[in-house]
Amino acid sequence: MVEKFLLLRIPGIPDTEDFLRQDSRFNIDNRLIPYILLADYLKKFDCILSNHYLKEVNYSLILDVNVQSKFSFYNVKHILLLVETSEVYHKNSFIPDYYQSILTWSINNKNNFVFAPFPVPLLINSFPKYVDKKTIFINFIYNNKSLCGFFDNDYYSKRFQLAYYIQNNFPDKIAIYGSGWHLPFVRGPKLIRIFGKITIKALRYVFGSRIFRNRFIRSNGSLESKYDVLTVSKFTIAYENCGDNANYVTEKIFDALLSGSVPVYLGNKVTFSSIPLDLYVDARMFANEEDLFDSLLNMPDLKYKQYLEKAKQFFLDKKHIPYTANTFADKASKFVIKNLS
């Protein structure tokens, strides 16, 4: 059978060489595993998937992860893996006509939309790792980012507010990691965020650091692997990027569960499968950050251990399978083959 060559285009991943491999410098915390598995699944159908663009290759299909502005293959079919929400990745707010089929977690009644879970770096054989000694009460591992505009379903700001409250009232109880926190947290479109950060920095330089204090948190910097912190944390702030998007379940809650840390979760309604409520602390149940953190501080040991036991049983019962990279790769490979036929 003649091999077919497929080009995968991922934002932020250059096409100068093939990065779909375990030792890739872009495979931080296994973030590329769903696509590496997809490439493996497609090999069974004599399809070679790569992100390395070669001029001499005649491609049979272009797979874009999120909407790409560059459309340079006029005689090749394009399909879309719609991963991020339009609030997070603004280009996804308008889907060009050249995408003939779309694979996404989003529920949509369009005929060209096919369902698959969010590409989470979670495997079928994954199981929580437990460390007896927890040296961190709660962690916050996020870069200083924001949504593309002013949205009511903004969870970036909600998780920032929780981290800010804890750090200012219980500084020894939280470990904050991530880049960009030497600058203030500002909401809004990109140009507004840039202008806001520059303005606040200038005003603080002139009038002193006491103004706009509620826009800053102190970070310990970036991590080579977030799991080094997650495994020694009792709790993890695991808020999604935004709400009101059914089935938008990213890696955040699973990172905590696999690390033996109880997630403090703010997420979305899940319709294709359910994550039991007894696996995480539901942030929606509290009126404010003070009430939420007070419940964590005063949680009985027995209740905390029950969270860990429920998480262990969740993986033993294989209830995590609908969310795995294996499930994503299986559905995505079938989607690709159908579009090749």
Side-chain angles (χ1 to χ4, degrees), residues 28-29 141 177-178 220-230:
I28 302 169
D29 291 324
I141 307 175
Y177 292 90
N220 294 308
S222 300
L223 293 166
E224 287 190 14
S225 174
K226 57 189 170 185
Y227 296 109
D228 294 338
V229 170
L230 290 171

Side-chain angles (χ1 to χ4, degrees), residues 7 33 70 223 259 335:
L7 181 63
I33 283 296
K70 184 169 65 175
L223 293 166
S259 303
F335 172 73

Side-chain angles (χ1 to χ4, degrees), residues 9-214:
R9 302 194 297 182
I10 307 176
I13 307 292
D15 61 4
T16 52
E17 61 178 283
D18 187 10
F19 290 110
L20 293 185
R21 59 180 194 275
Q22 291 273 8
D23 62 347
S24 166
R25 60 188 172 92
F26 289 96
N27 192 31
I28 302 169
D29 291 324
N30 288 329
R31 61 183 286 233
L32 291 180
I33 283 296
Y35 306 109
I36 294 172
L37 280 181
L38 174 58
D40 289 341
Y41 278 45
L42 287 171
K43 286 178 183 177
K44 302 172 186 176
F45 301 94
D46 295 307
C47 295
I48 308 301
L49 178 68
S50 173
N51 73 290
H52 186 197
Y53 171 62
L54 298 171
K55 290 183 179 180
E56 62 272 19
V57 172
N58 291 320
Y59 291 101
S60 300
L61 196 69
I62 308 298
L63 287 79
D64 283 345
V65 177
N66 296 318
V67 173
Q68 304 287 305
S69 56
K70 184 169 65 175
F71 178 65
S72 54
F73 303 86
Y74 293 96
N75 59 340
V76 182
K77 187 175 184 179
H78 286 59
I79 59 176
L80 177 63
L81 305 181
L82 191 63
V83 173
E84 269 301 351
T85 70
S86 57
E87 295 97 328
V88 175
Y89 188 78
H90 74 279
K91 290 181 181 178
N92 286 349
S93 58
F94 173 75
I95 299 175
D97 293 337
Y98 54 76
Y99 290 118
Q100 299 176 35
S101 293
I102 299 167
L103 187 76
T104 180
W105 47 264
S106 177
I107 299 298
N108 197 297
N109 58 7
K110 292 184 179 180
N111 293 330
N112 61 343
F113 274 51
V114 177
F115 175 78
F118 189 95
V120 173
L122 176 72
L123 298 173
I124 285 178
N125 61 355
S126 296
F127 192 77
K129 178 181 179 181
Y130 295 101
V131 175
D132 291 333
K133 187 177 181 181
K134 301 289 187 180
T135 57
I136 296 172
F137 185 78
I138 192 168
N139 72 69
F140 174 95
I141 307 175
Y142 294 98
N143 295 330
N144 187 357
K145 295 181 179 180
S146 183
L147 296 182
C148 301
F150 298 102
F151 300 99
D152 293 335
N153 61 342
D154 181 1
Y155 287 175
Y156 276 93
S157 57
K158 289 183 181 297
R159 66 194 183 205
F160 168 79
Q161 289 163 8
L162 178 58
Y164 176 82
Y165 169 79
I166 300 171
Q167 189 174 68
N168 279 272
N169 293 279
F170 305 91
D172 61 327
K173 294 293 185 181
I174 188 168
I176 294 177
Y177 292 90
S179 63
W181 291 111
H182 62 290
L183 295 171
F185 175 75
V186 179
R187 294 178 62 198
K190 186 175 182 179
L191 289 178
I192 291 178
R193 294 200 306 270
I194 293 173
F195 178 77
K197 290 179 180 183
I198 293 173
T199 302
I200 290 174
K201 288 285 284 187
L203 289 172
R204 283 168 62 89
Y205 179 79
V206 174
F207 297 105
S209 60
R210 294 186 64 84
I211 64 170
F212 293 107
R213 287 178 60 189
N214 64 340

Side-chain angles (χ1 to χ4, degrees), residues 269-310:
K269 181 181 179 182
V270 184
T271 57
F272 71 95
S273 185
S274 61
I275 301 176
L277 292 172
D278 52 11
L279 293 187
Y280 58 90
V281 177
D282 190 348
R284 297 174 302 173
M285 299 295 103
F286 302 91
N288 50 48
E289 292 82 17
E290 182 178 356
D291 289 350
L292 170 55
F293 193 66
D294 185 64
S295 74
L296 302 181
L297 285 174
N298 295 292
M299 182 179 292
D301 288 341
L302 178 60
K303 185 176 181 180
Y304 181 79
K305 290 177 181 177
Q306 287 174 342
Y307 276 115
L308 300 182
E309 287 301 316
K310 292 290 185 180

